[in-house]
Structure formats: structure tokens, C-alpha cells
Amino acid sequence: MAASEAEEDRSAQRVRSADVAREAGVSRATVSYVLNNTPGRRISDATKVRVLATAQRLGHVPHASARSLRLGRSNVVLALVSDFTFGYVRDQTLEALDTAMTKRGYVFLVHRYSETLRPLAELWPLIWPDVVVSMAGTSVSDALSRRDPHTKLVEAQPLLDQRRAGEMQAEYLFGKRHRRLGYAYPTNSNVRSIADERLAGTRTACERLGLRPPVVHSIDRNDVGSVTRALDSWKSEEEPITAICAHNDEIAVMLSMALTSRGLRVGHDLAVIGIDDIPISRLGISTVAIDIEQSTQRIVEHVLAAVENRPAKVSRRPVLRLVARASA
Amino acid sequence: MAASEAEEDRSAQRVRSADVAREAGVSRATVSYVLNNTPGRRISDATKVRVLATAQRLGHVPHASARSLRLGRSNVVLALVSDFTFGYVRDQTLEALDTAMTKRGYVFLVHRYSETLRPLAELWPLIWPDVVVSMAGTSVSDALSRRDPHTKLVEAQPLLDQRRAGEMQAEYLFGKRHRRLGYAYPTNSNVRSIADERLAGTRTACERLGLRPPVVHSIDRNDVGSVTRALDSWKSEEEPITAICAHNDEIAVMLSMALTSRGLRVGHDLAVIGIDDIPISRLGISTVAIDIEQSTQRIVEHVLAAVENRPAKVSRRPVLRLVARASA
DNA sequence: TTGTACGCGTTATCAG
DNA sequence: CTGATAACGCGTACAA
């Protein structure tokens, strides 16, 4: 009974490198050398093949914690987000990163980072990631860089010129003879820094074009009432507002739907332009498209560069492109 | 020089429990007992306070890998997703889970699981999670349960009656005098199992109500052409289709926007009903609302039960509710 | 309360 | 040149 139970336990147990070593008739050190292809170590092909085959057969997978304990790093790439509410663009980016890093043997993990919930100082020793990709937009860098010089940090946000996107919106509407603009700003605090950059861009462009600053109203993506109120406010301006720059396509779509439900037509009664070029916007929303291929590739390159301890190749091919549709 | 460098390295170094022990004038064992509040161990209050204060002062955070290596578990709750394209409901669920588990000292991590990219068998020893929450909808359970009896698995999907949601759509439209239904089915393979359940529900209801089966067309969320084509196909049916059950609100919104861009009116020229009650649908899309509070709470309870090794309290309060708006 | 063995993979040092 | 021995990383828990 006891024997059988022990037997069962053993079979359910993980396979250690010692098991492989015993089975292959070599030492644990040799197993390690073979499995890691340790540079500066020459192992005869015969042993190498035998060890690999044995490991394969037994289904040995090195215990990450043990490895991490010894090496001081974890083979983990940690993506920090401030929010699980990913937008289309972020989805694509995460997916591309995940695929790229997984292919190179890293484990890609996403963690919602909130300083109040769990400070970086605590999160750190729990993971010891090799690379951190911050998509939080907050200033993770300060807290991070002095914590562990070994860890690389990649800030995703600055890799895209958010300010320029905001400018392009205003410039386009100006070209369409709009002279008084509204701005739909998101309440979601997790995107504040991106939102502020985009708005700053629009403001800059307005100033340069001799327009008055845009009339800003906040849109809460979880409260359609905020859309209604914003539309009312814009309509009640003395000098008529004829076009809205939306923080992103999602908000632009909300505006469009709200207009429709009032019996108004977007692009006719009020012009709207978004940013991102999410799929649904192709149903008639003008937007500043972000070249997903490019922007994604740019981030992947930065992360790989961090991993490989080399400077990133900076590509400067344009990533933003204006797409005119029926809404403006 | 060398001394100063070493000094710096040491300050950047992590603080080990041994450091705390030395500083507090106790043994490492005692530090461990105090920090973990080990049951069955009585440590004098004086030492307890001293150790805690010292740990606090030095900023000691136990090394997770070492702990995990010793304990065989990792304090990690791993959420498996098949896709970073989270919908509103999943966002909320992840957020609630994250908050709940973090408060209890767990680290909540999200990982995109793809058997082809990295098989479970490999993923496993890399993390050794305490609990796995599968939101992938795939049959993770089989591969998982026999791998490590120690690990708990919670399948999120069965906790919601997807089939019933599909039924409710059809029943509602039937009540609105619609007798021939279309169905907008998502192409995204990552939601297939949910999609199939919802569709099955609609089919069941149609049969029970004496309706012909719904005319199914696929919608690719990344290809608006698929929406156009679906609308054309439904229109070209001999017996006219007057209402569409959409797999979810996102697709319902796409249908609505496509109708608008054709100069048609949703709810007038074609009825549409979705599922989820995402914020934007409140701008006029009828839907089967999912009670986020309830469904989220349900999953959290299951995960906590798994963690605490107790059966989950099953709440049977209804989670689905029909919301009638202008679109149907 | 303390000393110490243990979990498991890595690598410097040593032997053949 | 090939392979083995043993110490190490750090927190935990049993025996003393």
C-alpha cells in the first residue's frame, strides 16, 4: 500500500535534473551543461545526445524557481499595465510582444500594477523579471531604475508620438473649413498621460492655425450620460462648434452613436475624428491611424535590445496616417 | 575604489532574511517564524516586534523563488487567457479577481496560453501557480488536472449560462413579433466555445418557439467587409429576416453602425440585439445584460474556495437580464 | 529559540 | 578534452 502510494506520488512528482542524470548515467553537472549548451564547456556528442534524449523521454523541465534562485534572474518578461481595459492597439502590441518573447524562451506575463495595491518595491522580489515593459504610462521609470540596475525597463508610451496625433486631428479639421473645435477627453485616469499629450497636440495645432482653444468636455466610457451632456454643452456654445476631436476611436464611435440616436448625422450635423483606426471605425469614422505593424515592431525591437544588452535600432518611419471617412 | 563599488553593490543588493536576523540579533529561523506567523510556534512579543521592525527598516522582502523552491508552490494566481482582446466583461472580471487575490497576498498574473506556442507541460514548471483561472474557454482542464494534483483549477466559463443568454435573445425577439431571425456569429476562434453555446441557446429557443433555425453569418471584428456581406446575405433571403441576434454587443454595435452608414435605421429597418450590456450599447442597443457584480463575485468565490481548499458556495441568483432599447 | 538539512539547478574547481 | 564533486542562492521547518 505504502509502496504503491509512494510510487504514485513519485510519478506525479516533477522530474528533476538528478533523475535525468541518473537515468543517463552522468552527473547533474553534465545534464546542466548539455541542457544549457553552456559556452566554454565541451561535451562529447554521444553524451549530449544521450542526455537530451533522456530529458525528453522523462519530460524534464527545469524548475524555474531553482534556476531563478541561483541566477538571480527569472527568464520573465513582465508587462505592467494600469488597467485590464485594453484597447485595440494595446491588444495588438501585447500579442506581438508575447509571441516574440515566447519564441525566444521567455515567459511573458501581464500584471496590473498599482502602487497603492502593491508597491513596486514589493512586486520586485516576487518576480525578479529580466525585462519590464511598462504600458502603464505612469512614471514607473524612477521607482524602477534605482531599484535594480540589472533589470531593464522599456517604456512603451514614448515610442509613439501621441502629441502629433492630436495635431493631425486639428489640422485635418481645419483643412475641412472647421474653425471652432470641441475636444472629447477621457475621464479614465489610467490613460491620462496619453490623453494629455494628445490634447496638448490639438491645442498646439489650434494655436498655430489661429483657432481658439478647443472646448474640452470629459467622456466617461462607462457613462453614456457624459456623452449626452457633452453634446449638449457643445451645442450651447455661442460660437458654434462644428467638429470634435475625440481622444480615441472608441469615444468617436460613442459620439457617433449618440448623434444617431438623436436623429442627427455624424459628418453632417457634427464632424468627428478619432485616433487609432480600430476596426469598427472603418464603418465611417475619420481617424488618425496608427500603423500597428510599425509601432508594434518598434516596441518589440526595444524590448529585444534591452534583453540583448544593446542599443535599440531606432526606426523613424512614420507611424501615423490620416484616414478620411464619412464622419469628418 | 573597489571598496566603494562593493559598498554600492551591497546597497543595491537585496536584503536577505539573514540580514534581518543578524541586525535583530536572532536566528534566521526566528525571522522566518515571525514573518510567516507560523502556527504552532510561540515567539515572545518582544522579539516579534523587534524582528518586524528590523525587517521593515531594512526593507526586507522574501525572495519568492527561494520560498517557492522550498514550498513547492509559488503564491501565484495565474489567469490563462487565449487572447489579449478582452471584452468589457472579461476586463471587469480580471480586475475584480486581481484586487481580491492581491489583497490576500497573492500575485495575480495574466498569461496568454497557447498550446502550440508553449504547451501546458512546459508552462507548468515555470510558474507552479497555486491556482489557475482558465478564461481561455478551451479544455485546459484535462491537460491540467492530471499534471499536478496540488494545483487548483477554476474554469471561468461554465460559471455563466451562455446558452441561456442566447435563448433570451430569441425569446425577446419572438415576443416582438419577429418570426425569422439572423445570427451574427464571431469568426474569432478564441471565443468559439462561448459563441457555440450562445448560438446553441438561440437555436434551441427557435425550435421550441416553432421558428426556423436562425440564418447564421460570420462577423470578423477586424474586417468590416464581413458586416456588409452579412447584411447583404440576410437581405437577399427569400423569406425576409427582420431581426438579428448578435454574439455580443460589440458585433451588435458594428451592425448598427453599418446600417447607419447605409442610411438605414437600426430597430426600424432591422432589429438587433446583443449580449453583455457594454457601456456603448446603452446608446440604444437592446441586449442581454450580464450582472457584472454577480458574475464577478461568483468567480472570485470559486477561486477563493480553491485557494482555501473548501467547496465553493454556489449562488444561484440570476445573472442575466434582458434590457430593451431602441434597436429591437 | 536555534542549528541545520532541504528544495533544485548552476558553475567554479578538480580529477581522469 | 571530458566529466565529476561540491558549494551556493534563500527561505522553511524539523529536531534539538
Side-chain angles (χ1 to χ4, degrees):
Chain A
M1 286 298 122
S4 140
E5 258 181 43
E7 180 72 16
E8 233 179 52
D9 271 4
R10 185 148 306 284
S11 76
Q13 215 77 16
R14 41 177 171 254
V15 182
R16 290 145 300 192
S17 74
D19 297 324
V20 178
R22 186 172 7 80
E23 200 78 10
V26 297
S27 73
R28 286 167 45 207
T30 304
V31 172
S32 177
Y33 290 137
V34 170
L35 259 42
N36 297 326
N37 225 331
T38 310
R41 284 283 157 186
R42 291 210 40 75
I43 306 286
S44 73
D45 283 351
T47 338
K48 202 178 283 185
V49 168
R50 186 151 36 89
V51 169
L52 286 173
T54 311
Q56 180 77 29
R57 180 164 58 81
L58 299 184
H60 169 68
V61 184
H63 192 292
S65 297
R67 183 187 201 123
S68 162
L69 175 59
R70 182 65 236 241
L71 297 183
R73 51 195 175 74
S74 58
N75 226 40
V76 159
V77 175
L78 188 66
L80 258 30
V81 300
S82 55
D83 196 318
F84 284 126
T85 307
F86 303 163
Y88 176 73
V89 175
R90 202 182 288 182
D91 296 344
Q92 302 292 318
T93 306
L94 284 174
E95 206 142 313
L97 266 174
D98 188 340
T99 306
M101 301 319 291
T102 301
K103 274 187 186 157
R104 286 163 205 254
Y106 290 88
V107 181
F108 188 80
L109 297 172
V110 178
H111 182 260
R112 184 177 64 138
Y113 160 63
S114 157
E115 184 68 21
T116 55
L117 220 50
R118 169 145 33 219
L120 266 183
E122 279 184 36
L123 177 62
W124 218 238
L126 293 175
I127 316 268
W128 293 110
D130 286 355
V131 184
V132 174
V133 185
S134 165
M135 318 197 71
T138 56
S139 58
V140 178
S141 25
D142 322 324
L144 208 58
S145 52
R146 56 169 143 262
R147 181 139 291 281
D148 180 19
H150 184 64
T151 302
K152 320 293 180 213
L153 171 69
V154 176
E155 290 269 10
Q157 191 178 329
L159 300 181
L160 203 57
D161 193 346
Q162 306 290 354
R163 193 174 297 255
R164 178 71 196 127
E167 287 177 18
M168 288 171 70
Q169 290 181 306
E171 289 166 2
Y172 174 74
L173 293 175
F174 182 83
K176 285 284 190 176
R177 310 243 180 288
H178 294 284
R179 291 296 175 264
R180 187 97 175 93
L181 308 184
Y183 195 97
Y185 182 92
T187 56
N188 179 354
S189 63
N190 290 329
V191 296
R192 184 177 309 280
S193 66
I194 293 184
D196 286 344
E197 288 196 37
R198 290 181 178 179
L199 173 55
T202 298
R203 283 208 169 107
T204 306
C206 282
E207 195 178 335
R208 181 157 23 86
L209 297 168
L211 303 185
R212 291 170 57 190
V215 177
V216 180
H217 286 301
S218 291
I219 303 292
D220 181 346
R221 44 168 288 146
N222 293 319
D223 171 23
V224 293
S226 67
V227 180
T228 310
R229 286 194 296 278
L231 287 177
D232 288 340
S233 299
W234 283 318
K235 200 170 64 180
S236 67
E237 288 280 326
E238 48 197 75
E239 190 181 342
I241 286 177
T242 58
I244 309 294
C245 297
H247 163 72
N248 62 16
D249 283 351
E250 188 192 8
I251 291 179
V253 168
M254 290 180 82
L255 291 171
S256 167
M257 299 263 305
L259 287 172
T260 302
S261 75
R262 288 179 174 205
L264 298 178
R265 280 164 53 202
V266 66
H268 182 266
D269 299 291
L270 185 66
V272 171
I273 184 169
I275 295 179
D276 283 352
D277 197 33
I278 67 177
I280 201 177
S281 73
R282 283 162 209 159
L283 253 12
I285 304 291
S286 297
T287 191
V288 176
I290 296 174
D291 184 331
I292 295 283
E293 286 291 329
Q294 280 294 312
S295 70
T296 275
Q297 193 42 54
R298 191 172 289 185
I299 294 183
V300 169
E301 158 63 12
H302 275 258
V303 174
L304 289 181
V307 166
E308 295 163 6
N309 265 319
R310 57 172 176 80
K313 297 190 200 75
V314 282
S315 105
R316 269 292 155 224
R317 279 211 272 162
V319 167
L320 302 175
R321 180 176 46 92
L322 204 130
V323 180
R325 300 201 181 98
S327 78
Chain B
M1 288 296 127
S4 140
E5 259 181 42
E7 180 71 15
E8 235 181 49
D9 272 1
R10 183 148 307 284
S11 76
Q13 214 77 17
R14 38 180 172 252
V15 183
R16 290 144 301 192
S17 74
D19 297 324
V20 178
R22 187 175 2 86
E23 199 78 9
V26 297
S27 72
R28 287 167 44 205
T30 304
V31 172
S32 176
Y33 290 137
V34 171
L35 259 41
N36 296 326
N37 225 332
T38 310
R41 286 283 159 183
R42 290 211 37 74
I43 307 285
S44 75
D45 283 350
T47 21
K48 201 179 284 187
V49 170
R50 189 152 33 89
V51 168
L52 285 173
T54 311
Q56 180 78 30
R57 180 164 57 80
L58 300 184
H60 170 68
V61 183
H63 192 293
S65 297
R67 184 187 202 126
S68 161
L69 175 60
R70 181 67 237 239
L71 297 182
R73 52 194 174 74
S74 59
N75 225 40
V76 160
V77 177
L78 188 66
L80 258 28
V81 300
S82 55
D83 197 318
F84 284 125
T85 307
F86 303 162
Y88 177 72
V89 176
R90 200 182 289 182
D91 295 344
Q92 303 291 318
T93 306
L94 284 174
E95 206 142 314
L97 267 175
D98 188 340
T99 306
M101 301 320 291
T102 301
K103 273 188 186 155
R104 286 162 206 256
Y106 290 88
V107 180
F108 188 80
L109 296 172
V110 178
H111 183 260
R112 183 178 64 139
Y113 160 63
S114 159
E115 184 68 21
T116 53
L117 220 49
R118 169 145 36 216
L120 266 183
E122 279 184 35
L123 178 61
W124 219 239
L126 293 175
I127 317 267
W128 294 108
D130 286 356
V131 186
V132 173
V133 186
S134 165
M135 318 196 71
T138 55
S139 58
V140 179
S141 24
D142 323 323
L144 210 57
S145 52
R146 56 169 142 264
R147 179 137 294 278
D148 180 19
H150 183 63
T151 302
K152 322 291 182 217
L153 171 70
V154 176
E155 288 270 10
Q157 190 178 329
L159 299 180
L160 202 59
D161 194 345
Q162 306 290 354
R163 194 174 298 254
R164 178 72 196 125
E167 286 177 21
M168 289 172 71
Q169 289 181 305
E171 289 166 3
Y172 173 74
L173 293 175
F174 183 84
K176 285 284 189 175
R177 310 245 181 287
H178 294 283
R179 291 298 175 262
R180 185 95 177 93
L181 308 183
Y183 195 96
Y185 181 91
T187 54
N188 180 354
S189 64
N190 290 329
V191 296
R192 184 178 308 282
S193 67
I194 293 183
D196 285 343
E197 287 195 39
R198 291 181 177 178
L199 174 54
T202 298
R203 283 210 170 104
T204 306
C206 282
E207 194 177 336
R208 180 158 24 84
L209 297 168
L211 303 184
R212 291 169 58 189
V215 178
V216 180
H217 286 302
S218 290
I219 303 291
D220 180 347
R221 45 169 287 148
N222 293 319
D223 170 24
V224 293
S226 67
V227 180
T228 310
R229 287 193 297 276
L231 287 177
D232 288 340
S233 299
W234 283 318
K235 201 170 66 181
S236 67
E237 288 280 323
E238 50 199 74
E239 190 180 343
I241 287 176
T242 58
I244 309 295
C245 297
H247 163 72
N248 62 14
D249 284 353
E250 188 193 6
I251 291 178
V253 169
M254 290 181 82
L255 291 171
S256 167
M257 297 262 306
L259 287 171
T260 302
S261 75
R262 287 179 176 205
L264 300 176
R265 281 165 52 201
V266 66
H268 182 267
D269 299 291
L270 186 66
V272 171
I273 184 171
I275 295 179
D276 283 350
D277 197 34
I278 65 177
I280 201 176
S281 73
R282 282 161 211 159
L283 254 10
I285 303 290
S286 297
T287 191
V288 177
I290 296 174
D291 184 332
I292 295 283
E293 285 291 328
Q294 281 295 312
S295 69
T296 275
Q297 193 43 53
R298 191 171 289 183
I299 293 184
V300 170
E301 159 63 13
H302 275 260
V303 174
L304 289 180
V307 166
E308 295 162 7
N309 265 319
R310 56 173 177 79
K313 299 189 199 76
V314 281
S315 107
R316 269 295 153 221
R317 279 211 272 162
V319 168
L320 301 175
R321 180 176 46 91
L322 204 130
V323 181
R325 300 202 180 97
S327 78

